[in-house]
C-alpha cells in the first residue's frame, strides 16, 4: 500500500531538479491516472528534446536486440520448411486462422505465470493498453471464447515475442515463429492427443533432421506423484519447475535445489528421484498403476490410464518407435491440465555447434540438444475467457521452427547446396545494341503467358553480364534476340547448363520454354 | 532550443503534488535521459498500483481497436489473393526478404513527416527504444544500407502498424498487410519504373476487381509546377498536401484551402488549378514540355521527359489502356523523389458500400473509390541510412491488400460461393460400432501415403453425422469400413456429391482416391 511516494533525482546538481511527490493517494480518489499520464508525457517530451539537442548522437544501423532479418536465401529455406509443415497440417484436415500481433494487455495477464515478465508491452499512447502476443495458444483461446466456437481443428503460423535472453546461434530469438496445431472440442479420450503426436512424428521425419524422441508425461501424474511423495500442495509448481531442469542438470543437483533451496524433506526428494528416473512405454504405465504409492493418487491413476490409452492409439499410428513415457518431463506453462509432450533431437551432430563457443553461450547449452516441438492438453484456458466460464477442452502442439531453420541453414551451408532464391525460367537477352524495345516486347509475351522471365534494366547490357546473371541465380534458359533472329522470326534459346543453342520459331517459344522447364 | 521547462500539475489539490522542473539543460550535459527514464518508470509504477486498486475492473473480450482476427473462410480468401500476387512477383523474378515487426525507434524517425504521430511505440522496458514498423519501405532501405546491397529485386508481404482512425468496413485497419515489390539499383531510366506499373496492371487484372485506372505523376513535375505558378519554396509540401485532396474535394474547396488557410495568392492558385485539371498520356507530357510556364522549370522538364519515356515502355508492355498521366496526383510520403503512382478501382459497385452508413463512416468515404495500390521512386532513402550517405536508387509499389480482401469477401458472400477451408480428400468412417481401431489403422495408411484424410474423434460416431461433416466441409469422398468390408479386404468408397458407393480392394484404395480427387 502506497501512502507516501517521493523521488528526488539529481537534486545536488545546481539548476537541474526533478521532483515528484505523491502523498496520501488513497485519500484522493480520481486524480491519479490521467495526471500521471500527463506528467509522463511531459517528461518523455523533455527526453525527446534532450535527445534531439545532443549533437553527438550516433545512428546505429541494426535490427532490434534478439531479432534478425531474413535474406532471400534464408527465406527460400524458410519457405521449404513451412511447406512441409503446412502440408502435414493440411493432410490432417486443419483450417487456419490469424490473430493480431498485439492483444489487450489484460488478455495475456495471468496466463504465463512467472514468464509474464517477458511480455513486450506497447507504450501507452492513449487508448487501450496493449501487449505483443507471447504465444499463439492464449490468442487462440481468446478467439474461441469470443466467437463461441466449441470445436475446431486449426493451425496458425505466426511470430510471437518474448523479452528473453537471446541466443541467436541456437535459434533463440526475441521475435520468432511458432507453428501451432490445435484440436478444440469435447471428444473421446486421447484420440486428438494421439494425432498431435502423430503430426510431430510426421513433421520431424519429413524434415530429415536426424533421430528424435518424443517425451510424454501428464500433469496429473506429476501432481499425483508429488502428493504421494509428500510434497506439500503449495510447493507443487515450484518443485515441478525444479524437476524440469533434469534435462540440463544431474539428479544430484536437482535434489540439492529441492532440499536446500525449496525446503523439501530429503525423504520426499529421494522418493521423487526414484520416479523421475523412470522411462518406458505402456508397460511402465501399467506397472505404475500397481505401484503401492502411486496407486493411492486418483489423479495419477487417471493420468496413467490415459497414457495407456494414448499408447494403444500410437501403436495404430505406428509411431511408438520414437515416443517415450518419461516421468521427468515437466513443461513450464501454467495452463496445461493433462498430457504434455516435448520432442528433442537426439543427434548432437544435427545442431550447429561450432559457432557456440565464440558467441559466449553457456557451456550447458552446447551440450543439451534443444526441444524442437512441445505441447499438451489445456482444458481450462478457454473457460478463463468465457464470461460464464464454459470450458472447451483443447490439445495442441507447437513446432519450434527457429531452431529447425538454424539446423537447415547450417546443413545448406555445409553441403554447399545451391539454394535458388527466384524461380525465373528464362532471361530475355541480346548480343547486340538497341534491342531494348524488342526485348520488352518479347518479355511481355512471356509474362502474359505466365512464364517467369527477367530482362536486364539496361539499354545495352553486355551478353556476358546477362549470361553471368543466369549462372549466379540459376536461371536455366536464355532467350537471345538479334537482328538476324528478328528477321527470321525466331529466338535463339540457350540452355545455360550445357551452352547448347537452338533457334525456335517465335510462335513455338512459349511451349518450348514450358516443356524444357517442366523437364528440368 | 530548450532552456527552461516547467510543469506543474494539480498543484491546487492538497496533499498531491507533482512538479517537474528543468532549467538550463545545456549547461548540464550528461544528466538527462537516464534520470528522466527513472522518473517515468516510477510514475508508471505508481499508475499501475493505482489501477490495481480499482476493484470494479471489467474484463473485455475483444481484439485491440482497429485490428481483427481472420477466420478460416477469410484465411482461404486471403490465401487465394496472396497466391495471385506472389505468383506475379515471382513471374517478374523477385526474391523475398523479411524484417522484424519492430525497428529501433530512430530507424523510423524523420521518414514519414507528419504521419510520424501514427507510429506505435513499444514501452520502454529497459534496453532499446522500439517502434512497430509503419511500412515495409523504410525497413527495406535500412536492410539495404545495413547489408551494403546495391541492387536487388524483392517482394515483402507483411503486416504494418498505424495508429490511424480505423474504418474497418472499408478495409482500413491499424494492423494491415502490405504487399511490396521494389527494385533497387542504378539502372537505365524508367525501365524498372515501367515494370512496377506492369505488375500493378497484371495483379489488378487477375484479381478481377472490375475496371481500374493507374494515375501517374512525378514529384519533380509537381515541384516544378508549384515553382512556375508562384508558390513560395517553403509552401511546396503544404500546398502539395492540399492538391492531394482533389480526389475527395471539388477544386473550389481545394482552392479555398490554398488561399484562405495556406495563404497562397489567388493568382497562383488559379494557375495551379489549370494544371491539375489536366489528364492524358504521352501527348500531354509533350504538350507541357512546350508550355511557356512549365518549360521554364528544369525539374519539371526532367520529370516530363521521364513520363514520355515511361509511356513508351508502357506501350511495349501493353498497359497504356489503364494508365493516365494526372497532374493532380500528389502522394503524401516525404521520401518520393521521382515518379509516383496510384491505382484506383473505377467501378463503385466493386466496393462493399451498403455497410458504410450504419457504421457512421463519413459521407465522403462512401463516394470516393479507394486506392488499391501506390508507389513511386525514392532515390534518397537508402542514403539516409548509409554512414557515408551512399545512395541506392529505388522504385517500388505497394498493393493495398486489405481493401482487396474486403471486396473479395463481399463478393464471396454475395455470390453464395462455397469457400472450402480445408483440403481434406477423404473421410474415414464406419456405420458400425467398435471399429475405431480399424479406422485409425486405415487413416494411418492414408496419411503415410500423403492423402489428406480425417476421422471423427469419437469411438462410435453415427454414420449420419460423419456424412454431414463431409457435406458441410466439402469433403468429396468417404471411405466406409464395416465388418463385412474388413472380412472381404475392401473399403466402401462413397462419393459425397452423387451418393454413389463402390467397393475398392484395400490394395487399390490409395490409387483410387488419388485418381478421383485429381479428377475433381
Amino acid at each position: 500500500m502506497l501512502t507516501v511516494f517521493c523521488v528526488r533525482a539529481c537534486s545536488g546538481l545546481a539548476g537541474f531538479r526533478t521532483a515528484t511527490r505523491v502523498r496520501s493517494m488513497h485519500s484522493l480518489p480520481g486524480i491519479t491516472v490521467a495526471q500521471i499520464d500527463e506528467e509522463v508525457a511531459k517528461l518523455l517530451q523533455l527526453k525527446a528534446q534532450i535527445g534531439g539537442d545532443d549533437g553527438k548522437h550516433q545512428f546505429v544501423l541494426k535490427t532490434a536486440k534478439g531479432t534478425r532479418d531474413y535474406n532471400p536465401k534464408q527465406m527460400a529455406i524458410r519457405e521449404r520448411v513451412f511447406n512441409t509443415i503446412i502440408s502435414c497440417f493440411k493432410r490432417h484436415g486443419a483450417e487456419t486462422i490469424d490473430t493480431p500481433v498485439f492483444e489487450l494487455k489484460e488478455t495475456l495477464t495471468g496466463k504465463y505465470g512467472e514468464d509474464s515478465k517477458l511480455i513486450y508491452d506497447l507504450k501507452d499512447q492513449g487508448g487501450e493498453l496493449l501487449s505483443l502476443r507471447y504465444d499463439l495458444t492464449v490468442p487462440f483461446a481468446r478467439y474461441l471464447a469470443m466467437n463461441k466456437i466449441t470445436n475446431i481443428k486449426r493451425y496458425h503460423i505466426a511470430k510471437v515475442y518474448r523479452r528473453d535472453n537471446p541466443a541467436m546461434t541456437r535459434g533463440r530469438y526475441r521475435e520468432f515463429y511458432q507453428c501451432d496445431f490445435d484440436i478444440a472440442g469435447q471428444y473421446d479420450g486421447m484420440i486428438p492427443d494421439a494425432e498431435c503426436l502423430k503430426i510431430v512424428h510426421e513433421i520431424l521425419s519429413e524434415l530429415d533432421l536426424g533421430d528424435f524422441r518424443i517425451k510424454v508425461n501428464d500433469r496429473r501424474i506429476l501432481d499425483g506423484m508429488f502428493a504421494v511423495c509428500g510434497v506439500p500442495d503449495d510447493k507443487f509448481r515450484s518443485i515441478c519447475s525444479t524437476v524440469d531442469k533434469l534435462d540440463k542438470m544431474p539428479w544430484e543437483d536437482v535434489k540439492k535445489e529441492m532440499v536446500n533451496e525449496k525446503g523439501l524433506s530429503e525423504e520426499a526428494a529421494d522418493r521423487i528421484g526414484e520416479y523421475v528416473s523412470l522411462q518406458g512405454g505402456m508397460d511402465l504405465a501399467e506397472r505404475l498403476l500397481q505401484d503401492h504409492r502411486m496407486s493411492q493418487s486418483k489423479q495419477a491413476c487417471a493420468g496413467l490410464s490415459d497414457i495407456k490409452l494414448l499408447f494403444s492409439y500410437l501403436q495404430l499410428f505406428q509411431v511408438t518407435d520414437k515416443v517415450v513415457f518419461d516421468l521427468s518431463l515437466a513443461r513450464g506453462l501454467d495452463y496445461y491440465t493433462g498430457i504434455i509432450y516435448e520432442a528433442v533431437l537426439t543427434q548432437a551432430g544435427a545442431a550447429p555447434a561450432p559457432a557456440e563457443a565464440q558467441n559466449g553461450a553457456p557451456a550447458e547449452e552446447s551440450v543439451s540438444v534443444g526441444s524442437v516441438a512441445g505441447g499438451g492438453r489445456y482444458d481450462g484456458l478457454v473457460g478463463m475467457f468465457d464470461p460464464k466460464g464454459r470450458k472447451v477442452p483443447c490439445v495442441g502442439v507447437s513446432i519450434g521452427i527457429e531452431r529447425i531453420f538454424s539446423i537447415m541453414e547450417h546443413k545448406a551451408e555445409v553441403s554447399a547446396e545451391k539454394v535458388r532464391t527466384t524461380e525465373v525460367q528464362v532471361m530475355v537477352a541480346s548480343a547486340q545494341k538497341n534491342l531494348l524495345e524488342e526485348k520488352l516486347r518479347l518479355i511481355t509475351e512471356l509474362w502474359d503467358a505466365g512464364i517467369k522471365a527477367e530482362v536486364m534494366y539496361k539499354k545495352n547490357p553486355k551478353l556476358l553480364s546477362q549470361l553471368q546473371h543466369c549462372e549466379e541465380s540459376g536461371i536455366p534458359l536464355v532467350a537471345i534476340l538479334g537482328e538476324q533472329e528478328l528477321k527470321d522470326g525466331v529466338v535463339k534459346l540457350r540452355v545455360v547448363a550445357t551452352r547448347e543453342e537452338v533457334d525456335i520459331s517465335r510462335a513455338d517459344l512459349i511451349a518450348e520454354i514450358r516443356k524444357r522447364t517442366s523437364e528440368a
Side-chain angles (χ1 to χ4, degrees), chain A:
Chain A
M1 284 300 151
L2 184 84
T3 46
V4 178
F5 182 81
C6 179
V7 181
R8 275 169 191 270
C10 46
S11 52
L13 292 164
F16 181 93
R17 183 158 165 264
T18 303
T20 306
R21 290 199 199 92
V22 181
R23 283 181 214 275
S24 346
M25 290 298 311
H26 288 168
S27 63
L28 285 163
I31 336 174
T32 67
V33 173
Q35 288 167 342
I36 291 173
D37 282 345
E38 196 184 324
E39 289 300 292
V40 168
K42 281 168 185 166
L43 279 164
L44 291 180
Q45 192 189 349
L46 171 63
K47 180 177 164 186
Q49 282 172 286
I50 292 164
D53 276 344
D54 180 357
K56 288 175 208 153
H57 176 71
Q58 279 242 326
F59 182 74
V60 185
L61 198 56
K62 68 185 281 293
T63 60
K65 184 180 177 188
T67 70
R68 61 159 170 176
D69 297 317
Y70 285 82
N71 66 33
K73 209 168 265 182
Q74 291 167 323
M75 286 298 280
I77 292 168
R78 177 173 124 179
E79 215 173 297
R80 228 192 283 161
V81 175
F82 278 160
N83 284 343
T84 303
I85 293 173
I86 293 172
S87 295
C88 177
F89 291 161
K90 287 189 172 176
R91 192 158 59 238
H92 287 264
E95 309 177 292
T96 186
I97 67 161
D98 194 16
T99 63
V101 83
F102 45 70
E103 295 276 344
L104 298 188
K105 185 174 166 59
E106 59 183 1
T107 297
L108 307 189
T109 303
K111 309 300 186 304
Y112 303 106
E114 277 207 355
D115 288 349
S116 294
K117 65 179 184 295
L118 303 181
I119 293 174
Y120 278 98
D121 292 329
L122 268 73
K123 192 162 110 183
D124 183 358
Q125 294 170 291
E128 301 160 334
L129 288 179
L130 306 171
S131 300
L132 297 188
R133 62 183 163 211
Y134 183 82
D135 65 7
L136 302 177
T137 310
V138 168
F140 175 55
R142 191 264 309 145
Y143 173 82
L144 295 186
M146 194 171 129
N147 297 286
K148 299 192 172 52
I149 294 166
T150 55
N151 58 334
I152 188 173
K153 178 163 56 181
R154 81 90 182 79
Y155 71 90
H156 189 186
I157 298 187
K159 288 176 178 174
V160 302
Y161 299 87
R162 300 186 182 179
R163 294 179 58 254
D164 214 337
N165 214 9
M168 319 226 307
T169 51
R170 314 262 323 159
R172 203 164 75 207
Y173 295 88
R174 290 183 155 195
E175 173 188 62
F176 59 98
Y177 269 100
Q178 284 198 333
C179 301
D180 280 23
F181 173 96
D182 293 81
I183 300 170
Q186 187 69 57
Y187 298 121
D188 284 334
M190 306 317 282
I191 315 176
D193 313 58
E195 187 171 6
C196 288
L197 297 184
K198 169 77 174 154
I199 282 171
V200 175
H201 193 281
E202 283 180 20
I203 289 172
L204 293 182
S205 303
E206 279 173 52
L207 287 176
D208 196 19
L209 301 166
D211 205 11
F212 61 90
R213 186 159 303 183
I214 307 172
K215 298 186 211 168
V216 176
N217 200 0
D218 193 295
R219 213 6 110 71
R220 293 164 299 170
I221 298 176
L222 281 165
D223 285 352
M225 174 182 83
F226 292 142
V228 301
C229 289
V231 178
D233 284 13
D234 62 342
K235 287 211 166 104
F236 278 18
R237 282 288 156 278
S238 154
I239 294 297
C240 192
S241 79
T242 306
V243 167
D244 201 21
K245 297 180 183 167
L246 266 174
D247 57 343
K248 287 178 189 160
M249 277 160 59
W251 165 249
E252 279 314 310
D253 294 347
V254 169
K255 182 182 163 184
K256 252 184 228 159
E257 187 177 312
M258 285 180 179
V259 176
N260 299 344
E261 288 176 36
K262 310 268 165 106
L264 196 65
S265 74
E266 185 127 16
E267 267 184 328
D270 282 337
R271 281 188 212 121
I272 292 173
E274 276 173 46
Y275 286 118
V276 296
S277 66
L278 299 175
Q279 292 194 341
M282 198 190 283
D283 52 323
L284 176 59
E286 263 158 13
R287 229 172 64 214
L288 288 172
L289 275 170
Q290 312 302 326
D291 182 85
H292 71 286
R293 254 199 305 265
M294 214 54 138
S295 58
Q296 286 163 27
S297 161
K298 268 192 190 168
Q299 259 200 310
C301 290
L304 289 165
S305 301
D306 274 352
I307 291 279
K308 271 183 64 185
L309 187 57
L310 176 75
F311 268 91
S312 73
Y313 295 143
L314 295 179
Q315 270 166 10
L316 296 167
F317 287 156
Q318 307 197 331
V319 295
T320 43
D321 59 325
K322 308 286 187 194
V323 184
V324 57
F325 172 33
D326 181 332
L327 277 94
S328 73
L329 176 69
R331 286 174 64 75
L333 291 172
D334 266 8
Y335 50 61
Y336 290 120
T337 55
I339 187 184
I340 49 177
Y341 35 83
E342 200 167 283
V344 291
L345 300 180
T346 51
Q347 284 178 314
E356 284 318 298
Q358 300 155 15
N359 285 275
E364 51 167 87
E365 275 213 340
S366 326
V367 179
S368 95
V369 173
S371 140
V372 290
R377 179 163 282 283
Y378 50 102
D379 288 348
L381 191 57
V382 178
M384 289 174 75
F385 289 106
D386 189 279
K388 293 180 182 164
R390 277 167 299 209
K391 289 188 175 183
V392 177
C394 294
V395 63
V397 62
S398 183
I399 310 290
I401 196 71
E402 301 291 342
R403 203 176 143 60
I404 293 172
F405 289 152
S406 295
I407 295 169
M408 302 293 271
E409 275 171 42
H410 181 68
K411 270 173 107 175
E413 261 170 56
V414 167
S415 75
E417 172 204 5
K418 181 106 184 158
V419 179
R420 274 200 78 178
T421 57
T422 75
E423 298 173 12
V424 175
Q425 296 164 289
V426 60
M427 171 96 188
V428 174
S430 62
Q432 296 146 340
K433 290 200 170 184
N434 302 321
L435 289 173
L436 176 62
E437 296 206 352
E438 289 301 336
K439 284 189 285 182
L440 295 187
R441 234 187 282 275
L442 176 59
I443 201 167
T444 302
E445 282 174 37
L446 298 177
W447 283 335
D448 291 353
I451 302 284
K452 293 167 193 142
E454 267 194 313
V455 65
M456 294 217 126
Y457 302 125
K458 298 267 183 190
K459 278 187 186 160
N460 298 308
K462 288 178 187 153
L463 185 62
L464 190 66
S465 69
Q466 296 171 76
L467 295 178
Q468 226 159 16
H469 176 72
C470 291
E471 297 269 10
E472 279 161 14
S473 52
I475 301 172
L477 298 173
V478 196
I480 303 174
L481 281 178
E483 297 293 350
Q484 193 57 47
E485 285 82 7
L486 284 169
K487 247 179 244 163
D488 299 346
V490 299
V491 169
K492 202 179 281 305
L493 197 63
R494 179 185 169 112
V495 180
V496 175
T498 61
R499 298 180 185 188
E500 167 208 356
E501 289 185 352
V502 53
D503 281 356
I504 307 284
S505 92
R506 193 80 174 234
D508 298 335
L509 182 65
I510 286 162
E512 185 68 25
I513 293 171
R514 281 202 191 121
K515 204 187 82 190
R516 285 176 181 260
T517 48
S518 68
E519 267 169 12

